[in-house]
Amino acid sequence: MATILVNGVRREVQAPADTPLLYVLRNDLELSGPQFGCGMAQCGSCSVLLDGKEIRSCITPLSAAANKEVTTLEGLPARWAKQRGLSAADAAHTLHPVQQAWIEEQTPLCGFCQNGMMIKATELLERNATPSAAEIKEAFTNSGPSAHLCRCGSYTAILEAVQRAGAVMAKGGKA
Amino acid sequence: MSGLTKKDSVNVFGAALTRRELISGGGALLVGFGLAGSGVLNQTAAAAVAKNSLDPALPESWIEIHPDNTILIRTGKSDFGQSTTFTAYRQIVAEELNAKFEAITTVIMGDTDRTPDGSGAFDFLGRGTPNIRKAAAYTYQALLDLASQRLGVPKDRITVKDGVVSAGGKRMTYGALVQGQHLQLTIPVSGDLTSPMGLTVTGNPPMKPVSAYTIIGKPHRNSVVASKVSAREQWATDVRLPGMLHARMLHPKTLGSTLVSAGAVDQKRFPNARVVVKGNLVGVVAPTEWEAIRAAEQVARTTKWSDWKGLPGNANLTDYLRKADWTTTRVTKSDKSRGDAAAGLAGASKKLSATYEFPFLKHAPIGPTMAVADVRPDGTVHIHTHNQNPQALRGEIAQMLGTSIDKVVVRSYSGPGHYGRSNGGNSGGEDEAVILSKEVGRPVRVQWMRPDDFQWSTQSPAAIADVEIGLDAKGKMVAYQVDHYMPAMQDDRPVGAILAGLPTMAAPNEKADFLGSTVNGLEDPWVYDGVGILAEHGHGTFQVGQKESPLAIGLRDHSMRTPGQFQQNYPRELAVSEAAALAGADSIQFRIDHATEDRVVGVLKAVRDASGWQTRPSPAPHAAAAGDQPMRGRGVSLMLRSGSYWACVCEIAVTPSTGKIQVEKYTIAVDPGIVVNPLQLKRQVEGGAVMGISHALLEEAQFDESGITARDWRTYPILKMADIPEIKVVLMHKPEVGYYGGGSEAANALAAPALAAALYDATGKKARRLPLKPAYIQELLKA
């Protein structure tokens, strides 16, 4: 039995402490954002934020998430609403600027890797809302356990979406 | 109420419109497919429409028009990220119906029991007339017939806009036309539902003239994007059934190993796990995923397999292919081949002779294959998966189990792109899930791990090509000869069925008539019609290791984006660039000078203008093959695919001392005739460009004598974001062409020959094999 804080809600799970967080999120908590891509922290499809830092849930044991705050793709809207102090009513129909930008730019092709791409973008833009193209490429390639990989080749669309989202976040949410 | 009386049946250009019954409230026009006369249909087609398929006698349909003016469409084609079924198909149907794009609120795709046709996730646009377009055209005519009766005016006096019919001052919406009625339109089809090519809608309903298009050609968003980015999408990976067990596979030690003995589960550590063995198929199942993974790892350590070494290893691949038996398979010859090549080459002033080598590539979906199967006590089989050809999968599963296809239902969900790997009906895990589910009597979810996916999936076949080009005294190509050698490309046998010793289709052989054939067809349409003598031949053989493996497995191949054409266009386009250099000509102008078709010339000029190309021969005046400074060069390539014309220019910087190539700019022009959706096409082309650069620079499925040695993203690297170039896409919208070409996958094949030509431009050295990895380039530049 372990208790973890996921997307602002305290959840109790019956899983061995060494279970990778990914399987707990997907199977026990029925969250579908993080995906199983490699199980080796080599691709980024399974990314979540752990206390605001992007981690690979496929190799992170459940025990490492205890007493920390996990944010998944499902939790990005509430994370944004909390950061901006939006009312519950507004928050309910607001996407995170990163998600909104992904729609505006029609970024995903198959979309399987995009969970990790959006998590990475959120981590980056919370630190630096106006990254240059070089900084974005650097963040998605060389920061964290591995580069974030997209087999469909959507990197150009990701880069454009990150810049669009950043512009919104820099202005405090006004597009 | 006016309208059709109970016995009425209206002939709609060969389709039959009938009212099944008058119903109170609700109502809909349901467009199903009907079996045409026996002269049109072969017997397999009739047999293939099973009880749990949409049937002509049932009201399920291609298109439903509802009383609330919403429209639902269904297609057997699964969208794998192309966006076609969610955007282009909506545009095409809305256009033919004269309805609003937004009126089409629901798209159902892929599910074998809920969609009318089959076939794979390829050729979505059907050379301008996909099934859904004809179905919509028939439907439109039926709506006009209904409107004619309701409004009391002849069909030709009715006008329709945004789903509203009007005539003589009266107006009705489509919803009002179908309100309170239950109508069925029966349209003619031919083909075999569970064959890889599926069914085809036949007949010739009138279709909207291109000049009247208002919806096709406009940017439209893909509705599924919002669902995916907001975590509302139902992915195949999300399917969980009551009582379901998780499984991990223990695939054999090599591609030719047989099982000596399966290990046992340590029940103290894994009390709920169980080993399942069927022939050479070994899996471990458990109620939780983590227990299944851990128990599988433990069992693998004590499971014994025979050894096998029957592959040449990739270092010896070219020698192996040279010595392979190409004589038992029919040699193909392109339609355009003409003249005496030997004489033409003998009489040439200058001659280019070259061999080009193309490696095995992995489709490498970003998520490994997975499926959930439920084999029930009543003998029915339900499969939940992500598959490019669910109807074909259904046929393969029925064959494997020795049952009829009406016992098998496949539901398809979103998942990682497969790039052709499951277009023949299976992606690797479905059949294994079925076998395990049948053995344990519960639903089973098979998830391949990353190494399974690299080592036990199919690959895109390697190829070699021998090219000879003769130039006359003026530097014009007078003769072009090529011999393409490629092992069989399409092995659709489910691997789990092979391992378990269950029935499958035959291994690739000379006698198979299309798919599963060892015949190497000519896939790259010739575009240089100014060349007088042409001899294009294709030579085929068995898959590497297929004959040697006791399991008849070897390196199983499958079509991948631009299949066959990639292997043939790469040598052609690189050789033509080399021939231009031999002639002392600019390589774009050289191509233009040998083309006779306006669209070939047009796409070349477009890419030349957009890239800022400087007209001059290669290599560049500054070219050098040594030093620490990056050398810059550019190259071009050209392709005609599925009615679309493509050209790209790659600009690179290569550092001779390190051999590292950076693509700095990639310009691509496409003339597909009509651009259906410029927003989505642009994204598709950008994606293809990046995948193509990845293939050209990095990708090769390495193998030793026993199997594929790539096991993860370190041993099979793909392009990262830091390595992308500036990408410029030029979409040439040409309504006057009169149709929309397909083949946006072509973008992935264009990079390799353009990149190798750019390397020559920068350094004066000819790279004739792929990938262009630093070690190879360093060695090449030193030579």
Side-chain angles (χ1 to χ4, degrees), chain A residues 18-20 23 26-27 32 35-37 42 99 103-106 109-110 141 151-153 155 157 160, chain B residues 221-222 228-229 237-238 240 289-290 293 362-363 368 419 450 680 683 687 699 712-714 719 722:
Chain A
D18 65 346
T19 309
Y23 303 121
R26 290 196 63 84
N27 298 333
S32 63
Q35 294 284 7
F36 175 78
Q42 291 183 1
Q99 293 169 301
I103 295 171
E104 304 287 331
E105 291 292 344
Q106 294 285 286
L109 295 173
C110 84
T141 307
R151 181 53 163 166
C152 298
Y155 297 129
E160 290 168 7
Chain B
R221 285 185 181 178
N222 179 350
K228 286 177 176 174
V229 305
T237 51
D238 302 335
R240 304 284 184 273
E289 193 160 16
W290 188 231
I293 292 168
K362 298 301 297 190
H363 304 78
Y419 320 107
R450 181 44 64 191
Q680 302 300 334
R683 289 300 189 209
E699 296 185 33
D712 59 13
W713 296 114
R714 298 218 164 89
L719 203 73

Side-chain angles (χ1 to χ4, degrees), chain B residues 213-257:
Chain B
Y213 280 1
T214 59
I215 299 166
I216 288 173
K218 300 283 193 314
H220 281 281
R221 285 185 181 178
N222 179 350
S223 56
V224 83
V225 162
S227 169
K228 286 177 176 174
V229 305
S230 56
R232 285 186 285 107
E233 183 67 5
Q234 165 86 57
W235 299 86
T237 51
D238 302 335
V239 175
R240 304 284 184 273
L241 300 181
M244 183 187 85
L245 297 175
H246 289 270
R248 289 298 184 276
M249 306 310 299
L250 274 57
H251 286 123
K253 183 179 166 190
T254 76
L255 293 175
S257 294

Side-chain angles (χ1 to χ4, degrees), chain B residues 658-726:
Chain B
T658 64
K660 183 165 165 49
I661 295 172
Q662 174 70 40
V663 183
E664 297 188 314
K665 193 173 164 195
Y666 179 105
T667 308
I668 183 165
V670 53
D671 162 14
I674 297 163
V675 174
V676 177
N677 188 333
L679 174 63
Q680 302 300 334
L681 181 57
K682 177 171 180 282
R683 289 300 189 209
Q684 290 297 314
V685 172
E686 288 171 350
V690 168
M691 185 185 268
I693 293 165
S694 182
H695 290 321
L697 292 183
L698 299 169
E699 296 185 33
E700 176 176 26
Q702 308 259 358
F703 59 98
D704 61 14
E705 293 169 308
S706 298
I708 299 284
T709 52
R711 62 186 309 278
D712 59 13
W713 296 114
R714 298 218 164 89
T715 44
Y716 193 88
I718 61 172
L719 203 73
K720 297 169 177 146
M721 193 195 275
D723 299 320
I724 61 167
E726 174 193 347

Side-chain angles (χ1 to χ4, degrees), chain A residues 30-105:
Chain A
E30 298 183 354
L31 296 166
S32 63
Q35 294 284 7
F36 175 78
C38 66
M40 303 169 169
Q42 291 183 1
C43 74
S45 298
C46 67
S47 288
V48 300
L49 296 173
L50 191 65
D51 283 350
K53 183 173 160 38
E54 184 239 335
I55 57 131
R56 306 298 164 89
S57 66
C58 72
I59 57 150
T60 303
L62 172 61
S63 55
N67 305 316
K68 291 184 178 171
E69 186 180 7
V70 178
T71 305
T72 71
L73 182 61
E74 286 86 348
L76 290 186
R79 184 179 182 88
W80 174 248
K82 191 176 169 192
Q83 287 166 354
R84 295 295 145 184
L86 298 181
S87 70
D90 284 344
H93 53 80
T94 302
L95 284 178
H96 192 284
V98 165
Q99 293 169 301
Q100 193 60 45
W102 251 245
I103 295 171
E104 304 287 331
E105 291 292 344

Side-chain angles (χ1 to χ4, degrees), chain B residues 552-778:
Chain B
I553 289 185
L555 297 178
R556 290 182 311 127
D557 296 328
H558 207 280
S559 57
M560 191 182 82
R561 286 187 142 192
T562 332
Q565 188 168 9
F566 194 176
Q567 285 89 342
Q568 295 173 8
N569 181 268
Y570 155 69
R572 183 190 78 190
E573 285 303 300
L574 184 49
V576 168
S577 288
E578 290 186 22
L582 189 62
D586 174 79
S587 61
I588 290 184
Q589 190 59 45
F590 186 75
R591 284 170 166 79
I592 291 172
D593 290 344
H594 290 88
T596 58
E597 267 187 89
D598 288 346
R599 292 177 73 190
V600 172
V601 174
V603 78
L604 284 166
K605 286 184 173 172
V607 84
R608 181 168 69 184
D609 293 346
S611 65
W613 178 275
Q614 301 292 310
T615 299
R616 59 163 175 78
S618 281
H622 60 257
D628 295 326
Q629 293 307 306
M631 306 304 301
R632 290 190 162 75
R634 86 283 158 89
V636 62
S637 59
L638 174 68
M639 177 182 281
L640 165 58
R641 176 166 184 78
S642 298
S644 301
Y645 293 76
W646 300 81
C648 97
V649 166
C650 278
E651 294 168 64
I652 67 159
V654 56
T655 306
S657 59
T658 64
K660 183 165 165 49
I661 295 172
Q662 174 70 40
V663 183
E664 297 188 314
K665 193 173 164 195
Y666 179 105
T667 308
I668 183 165
V670 53
D671 162 14
I674 297 163
V675 174
V676 177
N677 188 333
L679 174 63
Q680 302 300 334
L681 181 57
K682 177 171 180 282
R683 289 300 189 209
Q684 290 297 314
V685 172
E686 288 171 350
V690 168
M691 185 185 268
I693 293 165
S694 182
H695 290 321
L697 292 183
L698 299 169
E699 296 185 33
E700 176 176 26
Q702 308 259 358
F703 59 98
D704 61 14
E705 293 169 308
S706 298
I708 299 284
T709 52
R711 62 186 309 278
D712 59 13
W713 296 114
R714 298 218 164 89
T715 44
Y716 193 88
I718 61 172
L719 203 73
K720 297 169 177 146
M721 193 195 275
D723 299 320
I724 61 167
E726 174 193 347
I727 298 174
K728 191 168 179 183
V729 179
V730 180
L731 304 179
M732 302 166 73
H733 181 50
K734 294 165 84 174
E736 67 274 16
V737 169
Y739 70 90
Y740 28 89
S744 64
E745 59 191 357
N748 84 310
L750 286 163
L755 262 169
L759 180 73
Y760 175 71
D761 192 54
T763 65
K765 298 285 186 178
K766 292 169 185 163
R768 288 173 172 166
R769 65 177 160 89
L770 296 173
L772 304 172
K773 285 189 172 183
Y776 167 49
I777 301 305
Q778 273 181 311

